[in-house]
């Protein structure tokens, strides 16, 4: 049986909860096709989050890894295209560190692309009634950091079929209630969307060719 690793983050920036953890933990232990889901929480801490991700990858050897994080202010599930080799924190992480313009890996490549079928996932999420889009930036905080660490680890394992990527999700309605004017998505819809992303990934070896770019 294949393993699918889903990670979510602990709360950060004064939020009492993080929707990414609330959503993935609801899927822990679920069987999807021939795979079983393992959901784990990552600290919102530079360095430690990648260390934890690497130990999960070594221990679980997941065929598919989808890291999920909160992107307050976004209105859709954002299927990230690319992780970049830079930490540039707008706010301190949960241990008070705030790196500015630091490479994640000194000698690393500038960027890695997701190896999830991002276009097929967006297509299937929309079909299922879940607002979704390809996103061209995962930011420069801990989410991009983990995404880069994940792809850096998976890079030599591509031929072995290990795939991974990142999805950002909006605030939950109860969070948006404290951020007037910000969009939100229900937990049920997030859970459905992440489950669909797993289903689509397991069923799609080669991504579909569909428009998903942006002008700016
Ligand atoms: N979102 C932050 C880090 C943790 C999370 O859930 C980010 O987008 O970088």
């Amino acid at each position: 049986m294949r393993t699918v690793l889903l990670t979510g983050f602990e709360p950060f920036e004064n939020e009492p909860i993080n929707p990414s953890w609330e959503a993935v933990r609801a899927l822990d232990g679920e069987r999807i096709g021939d795979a079983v889901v393992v959901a784990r929480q990552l600290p919102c801490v530079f360095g430690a989050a990648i260390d934890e991700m690497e130990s999960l990858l070594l221990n679980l050897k997941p065929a598919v890894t989808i890291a999920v994080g909160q992107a307050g202010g976004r209105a859709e599930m954002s299927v990230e295209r690319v992780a970049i080799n830079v930490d540039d924190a707008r706010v301190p992480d949960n241990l008070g560190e705030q790196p500015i313009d630091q490479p994640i890996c000194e000698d690393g490549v500038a960027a890695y692309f997701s190896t999830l079928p991002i276009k097929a996932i967006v297509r299937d999420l929309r079909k299922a009634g879940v607002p979704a889009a390809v996103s061209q930036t995962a930011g420069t905080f801990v989410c991009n950091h983990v995404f880069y660490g994940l792809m850096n680890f998976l890079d030599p394992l591509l031929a072995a079929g290990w795939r991974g990527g990142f999805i950002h999700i909006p605030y939950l309605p109860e969070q948006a209630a404290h951020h007037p004017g910000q969009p939100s998505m229900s937990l049920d819809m997030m859970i459905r969307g992440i489950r669909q992303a797993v289903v689509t990934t397991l069923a799609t070896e080669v991504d579909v060719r569909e428009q998903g770019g942006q002008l700016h």
Side-chain angles (χ1 to χ4, degrees):
M1 175 128 36
R2 293 193 282 175
T3 298
V4 172
L5 171 63
L6 299 178
T7 63
F9 280 97
E10 64 183 1
F12 70 108
E13 219 191 349
N14 305 318
E15 294 293 328
I17 52 172
N18 190 318
S20 65
W21 175 238
E22 300 306 318
V24 301
R25 78 189 176 117
L27 294 164
D28 187 41
E30 192 168 304
R31 285 194 51 172
I32 300 181
D34 70 339
V36 63
V37 172
V38 176
R40 292 289 181 267
Q41 192 185 63
L42 300 178
C44 187
V45 173
F46 287 101
I50 290 185
D51 292 346
E52 179 62 20
M53 173 62 90
E54 287 186 351
S55 91
L56 290 170
L57 293 167
L58 287 168
N59 288 330
L60 297 166
K61 303 180 175 38
V64 171
T65 301
I66 305 180
V68 183
Q70 163 189 313
R74 293 205 189 166
E76 304 169 303
M77 290 192 70
S78 296
V79 185
E80 299 293 350
R81 188 194 292 268
V82 60
I84 59 175
N85 189 13
V86 66
D87 290 332
D88 191 1
R90 181 177 56 76
V91 293
D93 70 11
N94 283 0
L95 282 185
E97 292 299 318
Q98 191 170 6
I100 307 285
D101 292 347
Q102 283 178 16
I104 299 165
C105 286
E106 272 304 334
D107 303 316
V109 296
Y112 287 109
F113 289 118
S114 173
T115 49
L116 301 178
I118 59 172
K119 300 286 181 72
I121 291 172
V122 169
R123 176 199 62 194
D124 290 354
L125 287 174
R126 288 175 177 170
K127 232 186 265 171
V130 179
V134 171
S135 162
Q136 326 298 343
T137 174
T140 54
F141 193 50
V142 181
C143 285
N144 173 74
H145 180 84
V146 158
F147 184 16
Y148 186 92
L150 167 66
M151 301 319 296
N152 190 48
F153 184 99
L154 294 183
D155 191 51
L157 295 164
L158 254 186
W162 295 36
R163 291 181 292 163
F166 199 99
I167 298 179
H168 263 125
I169 55 179
Y171 283 136
L172 289 166
E174 55 267 44
Q175 292 178 286
H178 301 286
H179 300 280
Q182 297 296 314
S184 64
M185 184 180 280
S186 73
L187 184 58
D188 270 6
M189 184 169 281
M190 291 177 178
I191 294 168
R192 250 186 338 109
I194 295 167
R195 184 187 290 115
Q196 181 63 56
V198 173
V199 168
T200 300
T201 301
L202 292 172
T204 313
E205 288 299 328
V206 179
D207 203 1
V208 295
R209 195 173 144 83
E210 285 200 13
Q211 185 275 332
Q214 288 165 251
L215 267 190
H216 323 285

